[in-house]
């Protein structure tokens, strides 16, 4: 799988093509879906552009993206300040406005409670692992492990999570985004690419938009996968 990470917690000042509104996220989701992407990872925003987990705002974003690309997996981040468990509890009646899966950062305060809150509202859990030695026991409802790594740390982190037997998504950020994508493709793990992870192409040029990043990532993923 190649996932598109469309915006992250970046600000509008960082890139003119960064999608923040529900409508812009839906447009970018449609563009990357046309390139073969089957999963998008997004950070829903409120009316002033801040990352949010508030039910109505999450529902608006998810429903808008889902209408543009029916059937695509929609992943969201829960890395937002505030009473996250309570906010996620408000997702129960959202129906089509609920994400399919949500990321929980292993090792952050209350991360296991957060995973349980997602399970209670029928949202799958994607554990995010960025440091060694933190994941000793899987909570219920985990569907995937996302490893955030540099090229130097990727091998050791994978040694910890691969024996757990879950699908693994491997990605890097900024200067490591492309080298980690290539490594993940070689190992046939899921990978991701988009403006959340990097604003630049491998040659250092600024990417035009998510579609340009994803199109190149798709080509590199296919070329590096074992025959």
């Amino acid at each position: 799988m190649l996932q598109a990470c469309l915006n992250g917690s970046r600000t509008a000042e960082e890139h003119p093509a960064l999608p923040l509104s529900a409508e812009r996220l839906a447009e970018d989701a449609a563009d990357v879906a046309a390139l073969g992407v089957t999963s998008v990872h997004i950070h829903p925003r409120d009316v002033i552009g801040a990352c949010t987990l508030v039910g109505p705002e999450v529902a608006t974003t998810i429903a808008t993206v889902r209408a543009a690309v029916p059937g695509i997996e929609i992943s969201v981040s829960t890395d937002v300040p505030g009473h996250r468990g309570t906010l996620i509890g408000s997702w129960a009646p959202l129906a089509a406005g609920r994400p399919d899966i949500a990321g929980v950062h292993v090792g952050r305060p209350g991360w296991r409670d957060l995973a349980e809150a997602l399970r209670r509202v029928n949202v799958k859990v994607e554990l995010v692992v960025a440091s060694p030695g933190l994941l000793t026991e899987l909570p219920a409802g985990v569907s995937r492990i996302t490893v955030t790594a540099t090229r130097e740390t990727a091998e050791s982190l994978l040694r910890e999570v691969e024996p757990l037997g879950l699908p693994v998504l491997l990605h890097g950020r900024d200067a490591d985004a492309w080298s980690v994508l290539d490594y993940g493709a070689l190992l046939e793990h899921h990978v991701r690419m988009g403006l959340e992870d990097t604003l630049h192409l491998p040659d250092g040029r600024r990417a035009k938009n998510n579609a340009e990043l994803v199109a190149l990532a798709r080509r590199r993923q296919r070329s590096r996968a074992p025959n």
Side-chain angles (χ1 to χ4, degrees):
M1 178 183 76
L2 174 61
Q3 182 185 76
C5 50
L6 299 180
N7 60 353
S9 58
R10 295 189 188 273
T11 65
E13 290 73 26
E14 292 181 72
H15 199 290
L18 188 75
L20 298 179
S21 70
E23 292 75 19
R24 285 286 293 109
L25 284 165
E27 290 171 5
D28 275 27
D31 288 343
V32 298
L35 298 169
V37 162
T38 57
S39 174
V40 292
H41 178 71
I42 62 178
H43 290 226
R45 305 300 181 99
D46 61 19
V47 292
I48 63 171
C51 295
T52 183
L53 294 177
V54 174
E57 291 164 335
V58 170
T60 296
T61 299
I62 299 301
T64 303
V65 172
R66 187 161 280 140
V69 280
I72 203 168
E73 179 192 76
I74 302 176
S75 163
V76 302
S77 172
T78 61
D79 195 18
V80 175
H83 300 289
R84 295 176 296 167
T86 301
L87 291 171
I88 287 169
S90 72
W91 294 1
L94 297 184
R98 278 199 306 266
D100 299 298
I101 188 168
V104 174
H105 289 257
V106 174
R108 302 279 177 86
W111 71 271
R112 289 185 179 275
D113 293 336
L114 195 58
E116 174 60 19
L118 289 167
R119 191 187 67 80
R120 286 197 299 265
V121 296
N122 295 316
V123 174
K124 292 183 287 187
V125 177
E126 178 176 24
L127 294 183
V128 182
V129 177
S131 299
L134 297 177
L135 187 57
T136 56
E137 183 181 348
L138 286 174
V142 178
S143 295
R144 182 165 66 224
I145 298 176
T146 288
V147 174
T148 304
T150 66
R151 184 59 188 86
E152 289 70 33
T153 64
E155 185 175 356
S156 61
L157 288 171
L158 288 174
R159 276 201 303 270
E160 287 194 11
V161 304
E162 286 175 336
L164 298 173
L166 291 171
V168 173
L169 189 155
L170 178 65
H171 78 107
R173 288 190 172 132
D174 296 318
D176 292 294
W178 290 104
S179 61
V180 173
L181 179 136
D182 291 344
Y183 184 54
L186 180 65
L187 297 177
E188 297 186 282
H189 282 310
H190 300 318
V191 292
R192 79 179 202 183
M193 183 54 63
L195 290 172
E196 175 175 356
D197 282 353
T198 184
L199 305 178
H200 297 92
L201 300 171
D203 61 8
R205 288 183 295 120
R206 192 177 181 88
K208 295 177 184 176
N209 49 33
N210 276 307
E212 184 176 33
L213 288 169
V214 168
L216 179 57
R218 174 60 82 196
R219 293 197 294 272
R220 291 170 77 99
Q221 182 188 33
R222 288 172 172 166
S223 68
R224 283 158 177 81
N227 294 326

